[in-house]
């Protein structure tokens, strides 16, 4: 299990090796998450010449909360240093920059799948599908190393669907050994739900809408949280030990405390309040 976790070090954003792609390639609209409008392909006004954010330490205070909950899963450095061989979009042609911006979201999706596949391989109970997961992992990695033209033409939804079939099997195998009733809340509308102290151990919360839900003290051990929307969800003192397919951006979008128990592969968000 430790072996697979160490491999995920390449699936975390390394801004020092990236040309600020998320700050240029992606669009955003003025909202609670972003202070201004920005078109795709236009550099954020806070992006400096060295590709670093000029207000990185004050993003939340300046109205750019959306930036603090985003992670490229290592796609930024892959596109910058591998796909385009270290050639900066600032110094290349306009066509070069356009191709880089088009490819970045594609590789980001593939890297997210690599994160899930690597985690699925760390689930002992999913051993019956480990061989298929490894093949999918190798294929996905090969896809990330294609030429810019091939990446831009890739049918990502089709590949994602193939991978999702395997991830679902891994989830079912991993949760099968949990005693009691495994709740199926897949895609459930739980916006603002009162789930304080809820027993959700081994539950499927795949794609569930948990926006602003009260999960204070909830038991989410061994729950499947792939794609669950945890924006502003209250995870104070909740137990997420062993929860799988949970990502750092999901945690960063939620609220929690020093008493929130997390999987070992994830970090406690800096903005979470400490329990007094």
């Amino acid at each position: 299990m430790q072996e697979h976790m160490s491999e995920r070090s390449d699936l975390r954003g390394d801004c020092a090796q990236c040309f600020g792609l998320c700050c240029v390639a992606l669009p955003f609209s003025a909202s609670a998450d972003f202070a201004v409008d920005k078109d795709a392909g236009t550099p954020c006004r806070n992006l400096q010449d060295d590709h670093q954010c000029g207000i990185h330490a004050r993003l939340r205070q300046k109205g750019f909360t959306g930036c603090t909950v985003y992670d490229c899963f290592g796609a930024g450095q892959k596109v910058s240093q591998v796909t385009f061989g270290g050639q900066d979009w600032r110094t290349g042609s306009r066509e070069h920059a356009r191709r880089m911006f088009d490819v970045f979201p594609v590789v980001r999706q593939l890297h997210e799948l690599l994160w899930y596949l690597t985690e699925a391989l760390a689930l002992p109970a999913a051993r019956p599908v480990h061989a298929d997961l490894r093949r999918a992992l190798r294929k996905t990695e090969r896809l990330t190393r294609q030429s810019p033209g091939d990446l831009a033409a890739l049918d990502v939804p089709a590949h994602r669907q193939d991978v999702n079939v395997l991830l679902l099997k891994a989830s079912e195998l991993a949760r099968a050994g949990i005693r009691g009733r495994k709740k199926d809340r897949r895609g459930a509308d739980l916006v603002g739900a009162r789930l304080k102290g809820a027993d959700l151990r081994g539950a499927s919360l795949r794609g569930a809408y948990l926006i602003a839900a009260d999960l204070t003290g909830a038991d989410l051990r061994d729950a499947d949280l792939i794609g669950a929307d945890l924006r502003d969800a209250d995870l104070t003192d909740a137990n997420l030990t062993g929860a799988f397919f949970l990502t750092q951006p999901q945690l960063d979008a939620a609220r929690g405390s020093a008493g929130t128990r997390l999987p070992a592969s994830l970090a406690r968000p800096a903005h979470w309040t400490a329990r007094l």
Side-chain angles (χ1 to χ4, degrees):
M1 183 171 181
Q2 193 65 35
E3 174 187 354
H4 293 299
M5 288 178 64
S6 64
E7 291 171 358
R8 283 198 276 181
S9 61
D10 293 332
L11 300 177
R12 300 178 190 275
D14 183 354
C15 297
Q17 297 299 316
C18 178
F19 298 138
L21 295 183
C22 64
C23 305
V24 187
L26 307 178
F28 51 72
S29 301
S31 62
D33 292 322
F34 297 102
V36 297
D37 293 321
K38 189 190 83 63
D39 294 330
T42 301
C44 173
R45 68 185 187 184
N46 300 309
L47 185 65
Q48 302 177 139
D49 291 342
D50 62 356
H51 302 299
Q52 301 301 303
C53 176
I55 62 168
H56 186 265
R58 296 171 289 131
L59 283 167
R60 286 181 174 271
Q61 297 92 313
K62 292 292 186 178
F64 289 87
T65 300
C67 297
T68 69
V69 300
Y70 179 81
D71 188 354
C72 71
F73 293 98
Q77 61 260 33
K78 172 72 74 63
V79 173
S80 297
Q81 304 301 331
V82 179
T83 312
F84 288 88
Q87 186 178 3
D88 189 345
W89 57 267
R90 293 183 189 271
T91 58
S93 66
R94 181 175 297 180
E95 176 61 18
H96 166 82
R98 186 192 65 78
R99 293 170 70 202
M100 183 175 282
F101 301 154
D102 287 345
V103 163
F104 170 64
V106 174
V107 178
R108 196 269 182 188
Q109 292 183 71
L110 293 174
H111 268 233
E112 183 180 14
L113 291 178
L114 288 175
W115 176 277
Y116 292 141
L117 286 164
T118 302
E119 181 160 359
L121 281 165
L123 298 172
R127 190 172 301 278
V129 293
H130 276 189
D132 290 334
L133 288 167
R134 289 192 188 92
R135 282 191 287 271
L137 183 71
R138 289 193 293 267
K139 178 179 179 180
T140 305
E141 175 59 29
R142 286 196 301 271
L143 291 176
T144 70
R145 296 181 179 277
Q146 292 185 115
S147 68
D150 288 338
L151 281 166
L154 180 65
D155 187 347
V156 178
H159 181 65
R160 179 181 287 275
Q161 178 58 36
D162 291 341
V163 170
N164 189 56
V165 170
L166 292 175
L167 296 178
L168 183 58
K169 289 180 180 178
S171 171
E172 291 171 345
L173 288 167
R175 293 181 297 109
I178 306 300
R179 290 184 178 181
R181 184 166 58 92
K182 273 71 71 177
K183 301 176 179 63
D184 187 354
R185 301 290 181 85
R186 184 175 183 179
D189 182 355
L190 297 171
V191 175
R194 298 177 180 178
L195 296 169
K196 184 175 182 178
D199 179 6
L200 295 168
R201 186 174 186 184
S204 173
L205 291 162
R206 297 169 65 89
Y209 297 94
L210 287 157
I211 303 169
D214 181 4
L215 288 160
T216 303
D219 187 350
L220 290 156
R221 287 177 293 171
D222 302 303
D224 182 346
L225 290 165
I226 194 168
D229 193 336
L230 294 172
R231 284 178 293 168
D232 206 33
D234 191 348
L235 296 173
T236 298
D237 295 339
N239 190 347
L240 291 97
T241 305
F244 48 92
F245 301 145
L246 177 67
T247 65
Q248 194 64 49
Q250 286 173 293
L251 282 183
D252 291 342
R255 293 179 288 128
S257 69
T260 306
R261 300 176 64 182
L262 303 175
S265 60
L266 300 175
R268 191 176 308 279
H271 68 276
W272 281 15
T273 56
R275 184 170 54 184
L276 300 179

